[in-house]
Amino acid sequence: ADPYGSIFKTYKESGHVPEPTPYLVEGIGQSHPVGNANMKIIDEIINVTDRESFEFARQLSRVEGIFCGGSTGTNFAAALKVAKNLDENGLIVFIVCDTGEHYLTKFHSDEWMKEKLLLEPQKITAGLIIETKNSGAPKEVISVAPDDIVGDALAKMTENSVTQIPVLEDYKSVGSLKESRVLTKLLENRDLLNAKVSEVMDKSFPVLDVDASFNEIKAQLQKSPAVLIEDFKRITGIITRTDVLDLQK
C-alpha cells in the first residue's frame, strides 16, 4: 500500500523515480528510493488516496474499535481492494502500524477533514458547516426583530456586510429582509425607512435541523438564498449559497 504522491508504485513498475507530489497521510511512502524497500520481493503496490486512507482509518476506529493512524487506513484500503479479487476462502493480513492519538486534531476531526475537503458530502451536516464556515464570524446569528425600524435594520446589514438577514422573535424565524427588495420598496415610499421591519419583511428563509445533511441543505438553497439552522427549537445559524460554494472549492 502506498499513497498517491509517493514514488514506490512507479519505481516498482518502471524502475524510474518519478517526481513526488504532496500527500497528507503521514508515516508512509517516500520521495526517493530507500535501501530497506526490496522491490524484488514485492508482487504489487497499490496506490491509495488521502481520502480513502483517512475514511478507512476513521471507519476502523468507529466500527471495529481500532483507534489507528492514517497509514493504517492506507493499508486497510489496499487490503479491501485485494479482497475484491479473492474468493470466500481468501485470507488477508494487514498491519495496524500506528495509534490515532497523534491525529485527534487532524483526520479524526470532522472540522479538519472538511477544511481539507476530504469529508464526504453525506458526512457534512448543517451543524458542522455552521461551526467551521468562518472562524472569525460571531457566534450569535445576525438578525433583526419585527419591531425594529427599517432604517436601523439596513444600517445593521451594512455594518455586518450582509445583503439578507433573518427576522427573529424569541429565537424563532418570523420573516426575512433582503436588501434589494427593501431598497425597491424605499424607492416607491421613502417613509418606510421609519416603518417597522414587520411592514416590509418577506417570508422566512427555510429552517433545517442542525443535523440536516449536505444534500438537504443544497436542495433548499436551490429555492432560497439562505437557510436557517435550528437546534432545540432555536435558530442558531444561517447558511447561504456562498457558504456551500466555498465548501465545494
Side-chain angles (χ1 to χ4, degrees), residues 123-135:
K123 304 288 181 64
I124 299 175
T125 64
L128 180 59
I129 296 174
I130 292 297
E131 289 174 12
T132 62
K133 72 173 185 175
N134 187 349
S135 59

Side-chain angles (χ1 to χ4, degrees), residues 181-242:
R181 289 178 60 82
V182 174
L183 292 178
T184 298
K185 292 177 181 179
L186 286 173
L187 286 174
E188 299 174 356
N189 181 5
R190 188 171 177 80
D191 291 341
L192 288 175
L193 268 176
N194 298 313
K196 292 183 178 181
V197 165
S198 58
E199 296 180 37
V200 299
M201 68 184 186
D202 292 315
K203 67 178 183 179
S204 172
F205 299 125
V207 178
L208 291 175
D209 186 77
V210 68
D211 292 323
S213 71
F214 187 59
N215 287 336
E216 290 177 290
I217 295 165
K218 287 201 299 181
Q220 290 296 335
L221 288 176
Q222 290 176 354
K223 300 176 286 185
S224 171
V227 295
L228 298 175
I229 305 306
E230 184 180 62
D231 192 14
F232 292 104
K233 300 188 181 300
R234 293 161 62 105
I235 300 299
T236 57
I238 183 170
I239 297 173
T240 66
R241 290 168 176 165
T242 300

Side-chain angles (χ1 to χ4, degrees), residues 80-226:
L80 290 176
K81 292 180 181 182
V82 171
K84 291 180 179 179
N85 298 317
L86 300 181
D87 61 26
E88 60 184 13
N89 296 315
L91 177 64
I92 298 173
V93 176
F94 72 93
I95 298 174
V96 177
C97 47
D98 196 4
T99 173
E101 292 178 359
H102 304 297
Y103 309 103
L104 288 171
T105 58
K106 292 188 176 181
F107 72 85
H108 280 299
S109 161
D110 283 350
E111 289 81 2
W112 186 90
M113 289 284 285
K114 176 177 170 291
E115 288 172 5
K116 301 299 181 183
L117 304 181
L118 292 171
L119 196 64
E120 294 181 8
Q122 62 266 33
K123 304 288 181 64
I124 299 175
T125 64
L128 180 59
I129 296 174
I130 292 297
E131 289 174 12
T132 62
K133 72 173 185 175
N134 187 349
S135 59
K139 293 183 179 180
E140 290 292 326
V141 179
I142 300 169
S143 65
V144 294
D147 288 337
D148 287 347
I149 301 302
V150 171
D152 294 337
L154 287 173
K156 189 172 189 177
M157 294 168 73
T158 300
E159 179 184 348
N160 289 280
S161 301
V162 296
T163 58
Q164 54 201 8
I165 195 168
V167 182
L168 303 184
E169 188 172 32
D170 296 328
Y171 294 98
K172 294 184 179 180
S173 178
V174 294
S176 66
L177 283 185
K178 302 178 184 70
E179 184 182 60
S180 60
R181 289 178 60 82
V182 174
L183 292 178
T184 298
K185 292 177 181 179
L186 286 173
L187 286 174
E188 299 174 356
N189 181 5
R190 188 171 177 80
D191 291 341
L192 288 175
L193 268 176
N194 298 313
K196 292 183 178 181
V197 165
S198 58
E199 296 180 37
V200 299
M201 68 184 186
D202 292 315
K203 67 178 183 179
S204 172
F205 299 125
V207 178
L208 291 175
D209 186 77
V210 68
D211 292 323
S213 71
F214 187 59
N215 287 336
E216 290 177 290
I217 295 165
K218 287 201 299 181
Q220 290 296 335
L221 288 176
Q222 290 176 354
K223 300 176 286 185
S224 171

Side-chain angles (χ1 to χ4, degrees), residues 52-61 66 68-70 73 107-108:
E52 288 174 318
S53 295
F54 297 145
E55 280 295 326
F56 282 118
R58 286 158 61 98
Q59 182 178 325
L60 282 171
S61 301
I66 301 174
C68 59
F107 72 85
H108 280 299

